[in-house]
Amino acid sequence: GNGNEKKKFKGDGLPCSPSRVLHLREIPSDATETEVISLGLPFGKVTNLLMLKGKSEAFLEMASEEAAITMMNYYTPTTPHLRSHPVYIQYSSHTELKTDNLPNQARAQAALQTVNAVQSGSLVIASALPAEGGPFPRPGPVIRIIVENLFYPVTLEVLYQIFSKCGSVLKIITFTKNNQFQALLQYADPMNAYYAKMVLDGQCIYTTCCTLRIEFSKLTSLKVKYNNNKSRDFTRLDLPSGDVQLPQEPSVTAPLGTQNIIFTSYPGAAGFGRPIGFAQGAVTPSPGSGQMTVPGVTGVPTNSVLLVSNLNPETCPCAVCSNALDKFPFWISTGVYGDVLRVKIMFKKKQNALVQMADATQAQLAIQHLNGQRLYGRVLYATFSIHQTVQLPREGQDDQGLTKDYSNSPLHRYRKPDSKNFQNIYPPSDTLHLYNIPTSVTVDDLKKLFASTGSTVKAFRFFQRDCKMALIQLGSVEQALHALIDLHNHDLGENHHLQISFSKCTI
């Protein structure tokens, strides 16, 4: 970097609020622009890059603040590596990068143009990051997976859990070759294979063991004859179970990645959800069993208590007064992802709370869908608590109304085992599904109702076959969360209480 760059882009000292510009430190001197951009690729589009090689720093601009938050949440507990060196990331105080008049930007812009061509589909990448100025080879959707340091058993189901977070997995074949557990995995799209290579190569399934080494295969498709514990075609459920017939895998000389990012449990784990839904929580083996638990994906969760942090007690209904807790369950889980049984606001840290769900699966869903969401001006963090239950205050003990029991709340959505609510659980979005609307309520009535919460109504549509249901699209996901919190169970008259959930549809 030269004097102009130093003057314009000073290193960010104190922690900054979320920004779509990220400040990267300890960049290796020989790292390329493309390698730095690759750190942001799995989280969304990278729109600008400033490399300060003289200071071993870089500024990476994402297309949205949401993508930057997702990237930060993932890399905070799992330090990324470039060329075997750890890289440290924090939010920048800049809200955008203005690099038009800065020198030495030609290579950065060329790298960005190449990546954008890949993401738009006009160019396909399918190998490890190329050397500076080198061509991008053309890929296929099949990758070869080698598991090194196999301390715990790795099954086809485990591989599906991990790799399906990078895209739609069509087929998997597992086998042993050269005394190593290996697998061939076919994605629906070559870009999924590219993302899997970038995100997972060199990472450990379990702490310090079962390291993933990923190469791109020359095969363009896998032929699976049997669905069993060795091979699976997820597009054909009619295949018989039997002995698997393995294809011959051509030799691949692509270099192996050198990253060593270890999955481990941590507070405030981030959920990708957007765009590839990876790293929803901790990947850890159960003691003595080696069985994986991936929060928000599959596994057998055992704890139903969440630790929720970074609450905003000044602008949201929590811990301000005792009756404000009546609204807390829908504020914290929106009632969509599980039934809240108990809530305890921390006495000394009112931005933190313990939330006990009806069961561990519901707690897992709440973490998956709400961790990393922006609520009341802050990014919400949710992870499993070390506590197994939320204790109610002892008789005569004054906890200032910071603990409340909701076990007998009539508003729980999942009390009935056969409830249709179990079939309609979707991630937060800007589109809400409304139901239980009386015929006397008009479109204008509902638009005014949602506008009263501070939301911008972008679109509205009643269901043609059932006017008791409708879709409403608001200005943002955060607005939809606020509206759901404020208006779920709202009395519309005629003994009708408005029911709200997130929709998988758009208008």
Side-chain angles (χ1 to χ4, degrees), residues 2 22 50 54 120 143 150 169 188 191 332 339 345 375 377 425:
N2 58 26
L22 298 167
L50 176 66
S120 66
I143 57 175
L150 190 67
V169 176
M191 277 306 297
I332 197 59
D339 297 332
I345 307 293
L375 282 171
I425 299 175

Side-chain angles (χ1 to χ4, degrees), residues 58-283:
F59 290 86
L60 196 69
E61 180 185 274
M62 304 299 291
S64 67
E65 185 176 301
E66 183 183 37
I69 290 172
T70 302
M71 180 175 170
M72 266 294 295
N73 287 342
Y74 178 62
Y75 284 138
T76 296
T78 54
T79 304
H81 286 62
L82 287 178
R83 304 200 173 213
S84 301
H85 295 282
V87 175
Y88 302 97
I89 304 177
Q90 65 189 38
Y91 291 117
S92 169
S93 59
H94 304 287
T95 57
E96 64 176 329
L97 290 180
K98 296 180 180 179
T99 60
D100 295 342
N101 298 322
L102 294 180
N104 305 321
Q105 277 295 102
R107 292 201 307 183
Q109 294 304 313
L112 283 168
Q113 290 175 5
T114 302
V115 170
N116 289 335
V118 172
Q119 292 185 324
S120 66
S122 58
L123 178 67
V124 182
I125 294 180
S127 81
L129 293 169
E132 186 66 31
F136 288 99
R138 296 187 177 275
V142 180
I143 57 175
R144 182 218 287 258
I145 304 159
I146 302 172
V147 183
E148 298 178 348
N149 192 17
L150 190 67
F151 187 78
Y152 293 108
V154 175
T155 64
L156 185 148
E157 286 76 16
V158 166
L159 294 176
Y160 180 81
Q161 290 173 26
I162 297 171
F163 284 86
S164 63
K165 304 312 292 180
C166 295
S168 178
V169 176
L170 302 185
K171 305 170 185 177
I172 301 178
I173 297 174
T174 64
F175 55 97
T176 299
K177 185 176 181 180
N178 299 328
N179 294 320
Q180 286 183 315
F181 178 84
Q182 301 188 25
L184 296 173
L185 184 146
Q186 180 180 341
Y187 278 108
D189 191 304
M191 277 306 297
N192 300 146
Y194 171 71
Y195 282 145
K197 167 71 174 174
M198 294 300 102
V199 175
L200 296 174
D201 188 24
Q203 296 197 27
C204 298
I205 300 176
Y206 308 117
T207 303
T208 72
C209 67
C210 298
T211 305
L212 295 170
R213 299 299 181 188
I214 303 171
E215 303 171 350
F216 292 98
S217 171
K218 293 182 180 179
L219 295 173
T220 58
S221 180
L222 298 180
K223 294 181 179 180
V224 177
K225 295 183 178 181
Y226 304 102
N227 281 342
N228 53 29
N229 62 348
K230 296 294 183 182
S231 64
R232 195 77 53 85
D233 185 337
F234 297 96
T235 66
R236 291 190 59 187
L237 302 179
D238 60 319
L239 291 181
S241 174
D243 294 329
V244 67
Q245 299 295 320
L246 297 178
Q248 293 297 316
E249 167 69 1
S251 60
V252 180
T253 58
L256 295 178
T258 57
Q259 290 181 324
N260 184 26
I261 302 176
I262 299 174
F263 289 94
T264 182
S265 57
Y266 55 92
F272 272 15
R274 304 156 310 274
I276 60 176
F278 188 67
Q280 298 293 355
V283 180

Side-chain angles (χ1 to χ4, degrees), residues 335-402:
V336 175
Y337 303 119
D339 297 332
V340 175
L341 301 186
R342 293 177 181 176
V343 174
K344 181 180 181 64
I345 307 293
M346 300 301 188
F347 179 75
K348 293 184 178 180
K349 295 184 177 180
K350 290 186 169 58
Q351 70 273 24
N352 296 344
L354 296 177
V355 181
Q356 184 173 344
M357 309 296 289
D359 59 49
T361 301
Q362 292 180 13
Q364 204 171 38
L365 282 171
I367 291 175
Q368 175 187 354
H369 292 302
L370 293 173
N371 183 46
Q373 290 294 335
R374 195 173 183 86
L375 282 171
Y376 299 102
R378 292 189 180 184
V379 177
L380 180 73
Y381 299 112
T383 186
F384 285 107
S385 169
I386 61 174
H387 301 284
Q388 297 295 316
T389 185
V390 173
Q391 297 290 340
L392 294 175
R394 295 187 298 271
E395 186 176 353
Q397 179 184 0
D398 181 17
D399 76 338
Q400 301 184 10
L402 298 180

